[in-house]
Amino acid sequence: MLDRLSSLADRYEKLSELLCDPDVASDPKKLRDYSKEQSDLQPAYEAFTEYKNVMEELDAAKAMQAEKLDDEMREMVKMEIDELTKRQQELEEKIHILLLPKDPNDDKNVIVEIRGAAGGDEAALFAADLYRMYTRYADSQGWRVDVMDVNASDLGGFKEVIFMINGRGAYSKMKFESGAHRVQRIPSTESGGRIHTSTSTVAVMPEVEDFDIEIHDKDIRVDTFCSSGAGGQSVNTTKSAVRVTHIPTGIVATCQDGKSQNSNKEKALQVLRARIFDVKRQEEEAKFAGERKSKVGTGDRSERIRTYNFPQSRVTDHRIGLTVHKLDQVMNGEIEEFVSALTIAEQAEMMDKGE
């Protein structure tokens, strides 16, 4: 561990030198790449620097303990050693986590797709509730939300909504939300007061750059049509909505939220790249599925991950067995408790596997 940290510290300090180099400062790409690399290394570098200072102080305290001291001084030195030893252990645990392999997509923006699944109108209404939950969570993180496509239901829910969350680290936190979300509540349309169970599915995909997934013009078909709102009523008479089909895979992406055809085409291509990348990622993970026992799930939208029980104000994450009785706060975007617990579970899994 110390060898890795020493090498990491050398690289961090080398990057500091490079960022002061006029040739780098005049090269936007190098400046951006080196700045990002140093920013990624900074938490481990700072922890290592503190760790070295703690170890030096601990060695000095132990050397003092070996000297002839009066009882009062001996007790003070013992207390200092105990405090430094505790801090040493905390830093070692923190450093172990910082040195775990990082998901290369963690810093990326995300594209989120929410669909009403089982439950008809109630599922669509819950899909809208989930959308509001995530937009409020994004606000709390200082992220920006851009809607890419909406298919509204007659009662004000969403049959489907696709949106992008722009913000550093968005994928690292939102990736745990992929899967089936189950709701148990009395629908507003239910006259008998019976509790219904419905589900909406969530898919979270990292934004994919052009160079990550290259799409050739010959491999896509672009269709245009008039945008439509709830109930299929026309909301404009120009063919600004765009449907893009990737012919080799059959994957389709549609966008009608923008005002121009070009804007909708670009957004549809963003979604298409993300979907193609997601399919390839899941295919890769499937190869190792027999060896992998994940605590936080596979990201498959068919996997039930969480239940929202309105009568009991209870939210349960089935992957880690975490239950909270503050449903109103969760639906208002306060999901950090789940995100943190799932992050810790993922880290513990990686440490168990010795990664």
Side-chain angles (χ1 to χ4, degrees):
M1 183 185 79
L2 292 177
D3 287 343
R4 285 183 65 191
L5 285 169
S6 180
S7 175
L8 178 152
D10 289 344
R11 178 59 181 168
Y12 182 91
E13 289 164 3
K14 177 63 176 177
L15 287 166
S16 294
E17 294 177 14
L18 288 169
L19 289 169
C20 294
D21 187 325
D23 291 336
V24 171
S26 62
D27 186 327
K29 185 178 185 306
K30 282 185 178 180
L31 187 62
R32 183 181 66 249
D33 291 347
Y34 289 158
S35 296
K36 183 182 182 305
E37 184 183 355
Q38 189 183 56
S39 177
D40 290 342
L41 293 176
Q42 187 169 350
Y45 176 80
E46 290 177 348
F48 181 45
T49 301
E50 184 182 354
Y51 181 78
K52 287 193 297 182
N53 292 336
V54 166
M55 294 307 295
E56 288 174 4
E57 292 176 24
L58 188 56
D59 288 342
K62 287 179 178 178
M64 185 180 294
Q65 191 179 43
E67 298 174 1
K68 290 183 179 180
L69 304 171
D70 59 39
D71 291 343
E72 184 179 355
M73 182 60 74
R74 184 174 296 279
E75 183 61 27
M76 288 178 61
V77 171
K78 182 181 181 302
M79 288 176 61
E80 183 180 6
I81 289 174
D82 289 344
E83 289 175 4
L84 288 167
T85 301
K86 181 182 177 183
R87 186 56 184 157
Q88 175 196 355
Q89 292 168 349
E90 291 172 348
L91 284 167
E92 285 176 352
E93 184 176 340
K94 179 179 180 179
I95 288 167
H96 273 299
I97 292 171
L98 289 170
L99 291 179
L100 289 173
K102 188 179 179 183
D103 187 328
N105 297 309
D106 273 355
D107 286 338
K108 292 185 177 181
N109 302 327
V110 294
I111 292 173
V112 184
E113 300 179 346
I114 305 175
R115 292 187 175 90
D121 287 333
E122 174 63 11
L125 289 169
F126 184 55
D129 290 339
L130 290 175
Y131 169 74
R132 283 191 290 272
M133 181 180 80
Y134 291 134
T135 54
R136 289 168 182 170
Y137 178 63
D139 286 343
S140 73
Q141 301 296 307
W143 299 335
R144 189 181 81 250
V145 175
D146 293 322
V147 175
M148 306 182 82
D149 197 28
V150 176
N151 183 359
S153 70
D154 293 335
L155 296 181
F158 292 146
K159 296 176 183 177
E160 178 183 55
V161 58
I162 302 172
F163 56 100
M164 178 177 284
I165 296 178
N166 298 272
R168 184 167 184 184
Y171 185 74
S172 69
K173 294 195 170 191
M174 287 295 298
K175 63 184 176 183
F176 301 115
E177 296 304 304
S178 286
H181 294 243
R182 181 174 70 170
V183 61
Q184 296 172 324
R185 63 184 176 187
I186 302 171
S188 56
T189 55
E190 170 57 57
S191 58
R194 292 175 300 171
I195 296 173
H196 287 226
T197 298
S198 307
T199 57
S200 294
T201 62
V202 176
V204 178
M205 302 169 290
E207 182 187 17
V208 180
E209 302 291 344
D210 294 1
F211 51 80
D212 291 327
I213 293 290
E214 189 175 2
I215 298 177
H216 301 287
D217 288 342
K218 64 181 179 64
D219 290 334
I220 61 172
R221 184 178 70 249
V222 179
D223 299 308
T224 59
F225 56 97
C226 292
S227 299
S228 60
Q233 283 189 310
S234 176
V235 293
N236 69 45
T237 55
T238 61
K239 291 189 175 183
S240 61
V242 175
R243 181 188 301 109
V244 181
T245 303
H246 187 241
I247 298 169
T249 62
I251 295 173
V252 178
T254 302
C255 183
Q256 58 180 328
D257 193 66
K259 293 182 180 179
S260 75
Q261 191 178 110
N262 286 339
S263 171
N264 283 330
K265 181 181 177 182
E266 183 53 42
K267 287 182 178 181
L269 284 170
Q270 281 183 304
V271 175
L272 189 69
R273 279 192 291 268
R275 287 178 177 170
I276 293 170
F277 181 83
D278 193 53
V279 168
K280 291 185 176 182
R281 178 186 62 80
Q282 293 202 39
E283 287 174 352
E284 287 296 313
E285 288 188 354
K287 294 178 184 177
F288 306 102
E291 305 168 15
R292 186 170 180 262
K293 293 182 179 179
S294 175
K295 296 176 183 175
V296 296
T298 61
D300 190 319
R301 71 176 67 194
S302 66
E303 177 188 10
R304 190 187 75 189
I305 63 167
R306 199 174 292 152
T307 294
Y308 306 74
N309 185 296
F310 277 67
Q312 298 177 20
S313 188
R314 168 171 53 82
V315 184
T316 298
D317 195 290
H318 304 289
R319 295 163 293 183
I320 53 176
L322 174 61
T323 295
V324 300
H325 289 85
K326 45 184 178 182
L327 183 138
D328 288 347
Q329 293 96 314
V330 170
M331 299 310 298
N332 199 40
E334 296 179 24
I335 63 172
E336 186 63 32
E337 185 173 352
F338 288 104
V339 172
S340 297
L342 288 160
T343 301
I344 291 169
E346 183 183 58
Q347 292 169 346
E349 182 185 16
M350 293 172 71
M351 292 178 77
D352 288 344
K353 293 191 295 186
E355 293 186 8

